[in-house]
Amino acid sequence: MRKVIGTLVIGLVVSVAGGRVAWAQAAPAAGAAQARTTALALLTKDLPNIEGKEVTISEISYPPGFASPAHRHDANTFVYVLEGTMQMQVGGGEILTLKAGQTFYESPSDIHATSRNASATAPAKILVFMIKDKGKPASRPAN
């Protein structure tokens, strides 16, 4: 089943075109270059059976050693690691290290405390599915 879902996700990424969009304000980890994450908006679609809600799908690329500051999404957020190794943490929870093919979930009330490329030498890329209030930003600072 996992292979089927991964194949569907990859197929969706390949078949949907989009443009570059802003994502969480980001800062390099200690010693990392002054690079930023890049976000490619793949899809934004109203959910007709859930008034006022939309789904967004974005591909986020993290340069080596890069970490985003704490932020929140105010959305049901589903993350699928496409390549590389990411470290993720919500609130005071455990820091999870995720490799390609693994997933992560954030609830609308979570603070995304850690979102970091675990490698100092290789880029990482994630696919992000969000169900959120229509027209609201994908991310905002934690405080």
Side-chain angles (χ1 to χ4, degrees):
M1 181 65 156
R2 212 180 254 233
K3 191 170 198 163
V4 170
I5 292 171
T7 301
L8 290 172
V9 167
I10 299 302
L12 179 62
V13 170
V14 170
S15 67
V16 179
R20 300 257 172 220
V21 296
W23 192 252
Q25 294 293 322
Q34 293 293 322
R36 295 183 58 88
T37 58
T38 57
L40 178 62
L42 300 173
L43 177 72
T44 298
K45 185 76 173 166
D46 291 351
L47 295 175
N49 58 337
I50 307 175
E51 188 174 332
K53 296 288 183 180
E54 65 185 4
V55 64
T56 64
I57 303 174
S58 302
E59 180 184 278
I60 313 299
S61 297
Y62 282 75
F66 194 82
S68 297
H71 58 278
R72 61 184 319 136
H73 297 291
D74 300 323
N76 287 287
T77 304
F78 306 86
V79 174
Y80 179 85
V81 180
L82 293 168
E83 67 182 58
T85 304
M86 292 291 297
Q87 291 182 319
M88 301 283 193
Q89 176 192 36
V90 292
E94 175 185 357
I95 295 177
L96 303 173
T97 300
L98 307 168
K99 297 183 184 219
Q102 293 184 301
T103 59
F104 179 75
Y105 170 76
E106 296 173 57
S107 78
S109 61
D110 284 335
I111 300 289
H112 195 171
T114 301
S115 180
R116 166 177 53 238
N117 181 345
S119 173
T121 59
K125 192 177 293 186
I126 60 176
L127 190 65
V128 180
F129 294 77
M130 287 185 175
I131 298 172
K132 64 181 196 62
D133 291 339
K134 184 177 176 176
K136 295 282 179 134
S139 182
R140 65 181 177 93
N143 39 349

